Amino acid sequence: QVQLVESGGGSVQAGGSLRLSCAASGYGYSALYMAWFRQAPGKEREGVAAVDSAGMKIYGDSVKDRFTISKDNAQNTLYLQMNSLKPEDTAMYYCAAGYIFRLSRHDFTYWGQGTQVIVSS
């Protein structure tokens, strides 16, 4: 079983930055693909970014060139650096772990509880 705990959410003005963290624990965590998803009220959960064990990364179109996913294997922590934030980035952000390297919520098995990000204009 893998446990994921997110932190780092908050309120920020448009153009600002935030860094989200996800602390991972449990058997087999290091072999899984890791990702960030987000869900705004009334919308489906969408993939933001994912990283594999070798460091290969994929990003959703709406966050390319603004967000950066990274992983610290020694600390068992996943990060999401978010720059140039926009009001449309407002959502609950979730850390996820799974067995398929794709930005689809259906392909991830383990989920954190989420951390809220609010971007004001």
Side-chain angles (χ1 to χ4, degrees):
Q1 189 74 5
V2 174
Q3 293 81 41
L4 304 170
V5 179
E6 303 95 335
S7 61
S11 297
V12 65
Q13 288 192 326
S17 299
L18 281 175
R19 189 176 80 156
L20 306 183
S21 300
C22 171
S25 61
Y27 179 76
Y29 149 75
S30 61
L32 298 173
Y33 299 114
M34 301 295 297
W36 289 97
F37 286 78
R38 67 185 182 186
Q39 188 167 17
K43 295 188 177 181
E44 292 191 351
R45 192 169 296 189
E46 67 167 335
V48 175
V51 60
D52 72 2
S53 57
M56 183 175 293
K57 303 171 185 179
I58 53 176
Y59 293 93
D61 289 340
S62 63
V63 306
K64 280 180 182 176
D65 301 323
R66 298 189 299 123
F67 291 10
T68 302
I69 190 171
S70 61
K71 189 177 174 185
D72 185 335
N73 291 324
Q75 297 294 325
N76 289 344
T77 303
L78 181 73
Y79 299 102
L80 183 69
Q81 178 66 44
M82 306 186 294
N83 298 328
S84 302
L85 282 161
K86 304 175 181 180
E88 51 264 44
D89 294 317
T90 294
M92 185 71 79
Y93 282 72
Y94 297 91
C95 176
Y99 301 97
I100 298 176
F101 191 45
R102 192 164 61 185
L103 273 181
S104 169
R105 66 185 188 276
H106 303 294
D107 295 328
F108 284 81
T109 304
Y110 305 101
W111 293 87
Q113 294 300 308
T115 185
Q116 181 71 48
V117 171
I118 299 172
V119 184
S120 58
S121 58

